[in-house]
Amino acid sequence: MPLTLHHLGLSQSERVIWLAEELGIDYKYVFHKRDPIFAPQSIKDLHPAGTAPVMEDDPSPATNSKVVLAESGAIIDYIIAVHGNGRLALTPKDGADYPHFLEWYHFANGSLQPTLFRVMMARGSDPNSPIVARTMDKWQQHLAMLDARLAETGAYLAGKNLTAADIIIFFTLTTMRGFCPLEFDAGEHKHLLAYLKRVGERPAYQKAMKICEGDDFKPLLGPKAETFDILKKL
Ligand SMILES: N[C@@H](CCC(=O)N[C@@H](CS)C(=O)NCC(=O)O)C(=O)O
C-alpha cells in the first residue's frame, strides 16, 4: 500500500483520515502521540515542518518517486487529485457551488484556524487584554458568517453535498476547541450547531474519529467544549 497517513493525537491530521474514509481509499495509518503536547520526534523525522498531518506516497502515481508532504491543504489537494479522482473538490463545472467551495476551503486555514489560534494565545498571556477582545470579535464574526452560510444551504458549506471545504474546516470547530474551550450559542449559532450534528452523523467521520482517538472519544459537536486532559496535566 503506497499511501501512508500520519496522525498526531488530537490534531488537525484527523481531517486527512476523514477524507480518506469519505473517499474510501486504501492507506496505511500511523499514530503519533503528543510529547507532552507538541509533536514527537517521530513526526519531526518525517518532514522539516515537524507538524501533523504528514503524508507519504511511495511511489506516487504522479511522480513515480516518493512524495512526502506536510500542510493539510496540500495533502488534501494531493489525495483528491492523485487518489480520489477529483471527488470532494468542486470545479467550474459544478456551477454556483464552485466559488462557495473555493472561498470556504481557503477560509478554513486562511482565516478561521489562525483566528482561533490567536484567541488561544492571547487568552493564555492576558485574558483581559484588548487583544483578546479584538480577536474574540473576529472569532464571533467568523461564526456569524458560517452560520449565515449554513442557513442558506441547510446542509454543507459549498451547497447540498459534503466537500473538502467541510473536511478542512471541521477540526477548528470541534477538536481544536478542546485546546481553547469556546462555546457556541444555541440561538445565534443554530445552523452551525445543526451542521456539527449533521457531519457528526456521517459514518466516515465517525469511523475516522474512532481510528484517530479511540472508541471512547466523544467528538466536540455540541455548544460546550471541555479542555482536554493533556492540557490540564501541564
Ligand atoms: N498549517 C499546518 C499546521 C500544522 C500544525 O500546526 N499541526 C499541529 C497539530 S494541530 C502540530 O503538529 N502541532 C505540534 C507541534 O507544532 O509541535 C497544516 O495545516 O498542516
Side-chain angles (χ1 to χ4, degrees), residues 202-224:
R202 294 184 69 89
Y205 176 76
Q206 292 178 355
K207 183 173 175 201
M209 292 310 291
K210 281 192 195 312
I211 292 170
C212 291
E213 309 306 340
D215 288 346
D216 295 341
F217 181 75
K218 298 224 174 339
L220 306 182
L221 303 169
K224 287 195 184 1

Side-chain angles (χ1 to χ4, degrees), residues 21-52:
E21 292 300 328
E22 289 283 354
L23 291 172
I25 58 174
D26 287 337
Y27 63 95
K28 181 179 160 203
Y29 171 73
V30 182
F31 177 82
H32 301 258
K33 192 169 183 290
R34 285 179 178 267
D35 178 24
I37 57 162
F38 293 112
Q41 191 59 42
S42 56
I43 288 277
K44 295 178 188 153
D45 289 344
L46 291 166
H47 192 287
T51 53

Side-chain angles (χ1 to χ4, degrees), residues 8 10-13 15 34 37-40 43-44 49-53 70-73 75 109 113 171 179:
L8 173 67
L10 299 173
S11 87
Q12 58 195 281
S13 41
R15 298 159 161 167
R34 285 179 178 267
I37 57 162
F38 293 112
I43 288 277
K44 295 178 188 153
T51 53
E71 283 299 329
S72 311
I75 294 172
N109 259 14
Q113 171 100 352
F171 162 80
F179 293 93

Side-chain angles (χ1 to χ4, degrees), residues 52-63:
V54 183
M55 178 215 85
E56 294 174 281
D57 203 11
D58 189 15
S60 160
T63 64

Side-chain angles (χ1 to χ4, degrees), residues 147-165:
D147 200 78
R149 176 61 185 157
L150 293 163
E152 240 166 55
T153 67
Y156 296 100
L157 286 171
K160 291 291 175 209
N161 298 308
L162 178 99
T163 67

Side-chain angles (χ1 to χ4, degrees), residues 100-130:
H100 290 293
F101 165 74
L102 279 183
E103 191 169 76
W104 291 110
Y105 185 65
H106 291 282
F107 173 83
N109 259 14
S111 293
L112 188 71
Q113 171 100 352
T115 297
L116 185 52
F117 190 74
R118 274 198 296 274
V119 172
M120 192 167 84
M121 291 294 124
R123 275 177 147 198
S125 52
D126 175 5
N128 300 314
S129 81

